[in-house]
Amino acid sequence: MTQTGHALRETIARELTGARQRTALLTDSVDEDDLVRQHSPLMSPLVWDLAHIANQEELWLLREVGGREPLHPEIDPLYDAFEHPRCERPTLPLLAPAEARAYGHEVRGRVLDLLERTRFSGPEDGGTRLLGDGFAFGMIAQHEVQHDETMLITHQIRAGAPVLAAAAPGPVPADALRLPSPSRGRWTTSGPRTRWTWPRFSSTPRR
């Protein structure tokens, strides 16, 4: 059943918060040198992902949904994934880790304010496809989770001692390959509608 009003806002806030907690774990568990280093030409520096997540959140939610003026339009080209392939991203004048975190914090605070005032009406109710069922907010939550997965891969290929730990995964469910039936408004990144659960990582002391 499609959620509306207060329940949908709670779901969106929970998904956004969960994704941001994973992002923080993946980026706070390494030092600044690790954040700005490119650990493989196939991957972006972690600090690029950190600011790119915030930039996309600003573009789609604050600007497109909220109609706000850009906060830092000069950085948009730096975090355009189509304009700069991963191999050249370390050569760009990227935001430093502290600046990237501050940018993300500012954007998220404004997004949560916007969430409280947004009416989730689709085209059939005089609204837009981005607003129907909270689609744009769900898209941004999913986008951050996708980058969390990418950053986790970077952790797995980086040199040095691991800084994250997690329990061994359980057995694969017998119906793991069976896709859930599609339903309107299904964009949640966790819970009974998905077959995959993000591991419960914890950080380990840096040496």
Side-chain angles (χ1 to χ4, degrees):
M1 183 172 62
T2 301
Q3 292 179 309
T4 58
H6 180 69
L8 183 54
R9 286 186 176 87
E10 285 191 335
T11 297
I12 290 169
R14 181 175 63 250
E15 297 293 343
L16 289 172
T17 299
R20 186 53 48 90
Q21 288 172 342
R22 292 187 283 269
T23 298
L25 178 62
L26 289 161
T27 54
D28 291 349
S29 58
V30 293
D31 58 27
E32 186 163 321
D33 286 343
D34 261 349
L35 283 175
V36 301
R37 180 181 300 121
Q38 186 177 42
H39 297 277
S40 164
L42 299 176
M43 311 303 290
S44 305
L46 292 171
V47 73
W48 185 92
D49 289 280
L50 186 59
H52 169 77
I53 287 167
N55 186 244
Q56 290 297 300
E57 188 167 334
E58 184 198 352
L59 285 169
W60 284 101
L61 297 183
L62 295 186
R63 300 188 203 176
E64 191 67 27
V65 172
R68 309 288 179 81
E69 291 296 317
L71 295 175
H72 305 288
E74 71 281 0
I75 70 172
D76 288 352
L78 300 178
Y79 298 101
D80 185 335
F82 295 102
E83 188 167 336
H84 298 291
R86 289 175 176 174
C87 62
E88 71 177 43
R89 290 172 190 172
T91 67
L92 302 174
L94 303 176
L95 295 178
E99 294 172 323
R101 290 189 177 102
Y103 177 43
H105 181 75
E106 181 179 13
V107 170
R108 177 53 58 86
R110 296 184 184 218
V111 162
L112 293 178
D113 288 341
L114 175 66
L115 176 61
E116 291 302 311
R117 298 192 298 272
T118 299
R119 180 173 176 266
F120 303 114
S121 54
E124 66 278 9
D125 299 316
T128 68
R129 293 180 64 185
L130 286 177
L131 290 177
D133 298 318
F135 175 81
F137 290 89
M139 177 181 68
I140 287 302
Q142 288 182 327
H143 174 259
E144 183 159 359
V145 169
Q146 289 166 0
H147 276 273
D148 288 341
E149 294 173 3
T150 301
M151 289 191 288
L152 181 58
I153 294 171
T154 299
H155 270 266
Q156 292 171 328
I157 63 177
R158 60 180 283 276
V163 295
L164 297 174
V172 177
D175 62 348
L177 297 180
R178 189 177 67 196
L179 295 176
S181 59
S183 64
R184 183 170 178 260
R186 184 176 64 83
W187 53 257
T188 182
T189 62
S190 60
R193 292 188 184 276
T194 58
R195 295 288 180 188
W196 181 83
T197 301
W198 184 267
R200 294 183 179 275
F201 285 102
S202 60
S203 59
T204 58
R206 292 199 295 262
R207 297 178 179 176

